[in-house]
Every structure is written in structure tokens, then in C-alpha cells.
Amino acid sequence: MSAPAPPLVAVSQYIDGSAKLIEPKYQSAWELITPLFLAGLLHQLVDSHENELVLTAPKGGQLLIGGEFYPDMFHPVVDGRAPKPSSRGHSARPGIRPVRGLTGMTPHGLRHAVKVWLDEEGRHPRVAIEERPGHEVPGVEGTYSHAILGMEPAIADTLERLWQESLRPVLDVGSTGRSPQKKLLRT
């Protein structure tokens, strides 16, 4: 099953030292058919605040990529984080299980992670996988190959299945890379 995600209409980028909202590069604003889990999470996030932005800073407003973003927000999501007890006025933080296959990933790398997972599956045409992040297939193959609408829900279904499989308990922690704690947490 699949569903449309909120359309991409602007991205945050630093220009001359300050964050600006600009149109996506290469006129890549499009509606994308997404797996149900992702569409649900995105719509839940949009409905959770009044801001026009989907991803906001913890206290609202534009999410700036700098300062504490990487150590406090990004790296714990991709690399995992052990639980942190409360200290000196800071609230306790739950542990986060590392995401298999993403350890050490950069934000730009995450954009390409879906392509890697779909390539590994080997079930979808290359042109459909490449067009999803806005890439073009070069040469003769790109000239004569085109993604059709039916390919998008099939890709979304594969991503939904991979997501659901990722939620299953991992019995062999060693196969998923280092664990930031002894017991696994479901978040």
C-alpha cells in the first residue's frame, strides 16, 4: 500500500552565511508516492504544529543545519545512542537503536540510501529507481526507458515491507553493527 506525501516546495540552504528557504534544485518539486509508514509519519508531523515547514527545530521555526544538529539530532538517529540519565537540569533521553546500514551516513547520503536498498532488492527497473530522487538515466537507456505510474506504488510497497522488517527484534546484534547499549530499545 502507498500514499502521497506532502509535496516538496522548498528546501533550506545556507547562502552568504545565512539560512534561506529556496526552491528545490533542478525544479525537482514533485509529489512522490511514498510507503504508508512514511506518508503517515509525514502527515502526523505536519499536523503536529502550525509551521509551514515539515521539519522544524525542536522549539519550532526553521531547522538549521549547524551547531548541535549533528551530535544532538542527526548522529543519534543513524548511529544509535545509549540512554542518557537526567543531569544538571537536562531531561533524561531514551536510547536509540542504530539503523542497520546507516552507521556513519551523512544527510546527503541518506538521500541515496533508498536507491541502494532498492538496487539490493533487484525487483524494480533502474529508470524508476533513478527518477525517484530526480536523477536521469544517461545515454540510450535513459532515452528509451521511462518510469510509469505503476512502478511507483510497487517501489513504495517494497519500501514499506523493508520498513516493517526493520522493526522486528534483532536477535543477533552483531549483524547490525555496534549497539550503543546492551538491551535493544524499540523507538
Side-chain angles (χ1 to χ4, degrees):
M1 298 291 294
S2 56
L8 173 66
V9 294
V11 295
S12 179
Q13 184 173 347
Y14 280 94
I15 300 173
D16 297 326
S18 64
K20 308 261 191 246
L21 288 177
I22 62 169
E23 288 186 27
K25 66 180 181 178
Y26 314 125
Q27 293 76 43
S28 61
W30 68 91
E31 290 190 25
L32 188 62
I33 296 174
T34 59
L36 281 179
F37 83 89
L38 183 56
L41 290 172
L42 287 169
H43 285 287
Q44 184 179 16
L45 189 58
V46 167
D47 293 343
S48 73
H49 55 76
E50 296 297 320
N51 198 305
E52 65 181 335
L53 304 172
V54 173
L55 300 174
T56 64
K59 295 180 180 177
Q62 188 173 349
L63 178 63
L64 302 177
I65 309 300
E68 301 301 312
F69 173 78
Y70 287 99
D72 287 351
M73 297 176 78
F74 185 78
H75 291 299
V77 170
V78 297
D79 298 330
R81 178 185 68 209
K84 291 184 177 181
S86 60
S87 65
R88 295 186 188 174
H90 294 279
S91 300
R93 292 185 180 181
I96 300 174
R97 189 172 106 181
V99 177
R100 190 177 101 215
L102 295 187
T103 302
M105 189 71 71
T106 64
H108 186 75
L110 285 176
R111 183 173 183 264
H112 297 275
V114 169
K115 179 189 175 339
V116 172
W117 295 327
L118 292 171
D119 285 346
E120 184 178 45
E121 284 290 303
R123 296 182 45 220
H124 303 286
R126 177 177 177 222
V127 67
I129 294 170
E130 292 293 341
E131 285 184 9
R132 204 166 164 81
H135 298 162
E136 291 182 11
V137 176
V140 174
E141 182 183 9
T143 301
Y144 294 102
S145 296
H146 303 283
I148 59 172
L149 184 58
M151 295 175 184
E152 278 293 315
I155 287 174
D157 289 346
T158 296
L159 294 172
E160 178 72 26
R161 180 181 52 78
L162 292 171
W163 171 257
Q164 295 302 329
E165 288 174 5
S166 78
L167 297 177
R168 293 186 185 139
V170 178
L171 300 178
D172 178 10
V173 177
S175 70
T176 63
R178 70 172 177 76
S179 179
Q181 59 197 31
K182 291 185 180 176
K183 85 176 192 186
L184 294 175
L185 293 176
R186 286 188 85 156
T187 57

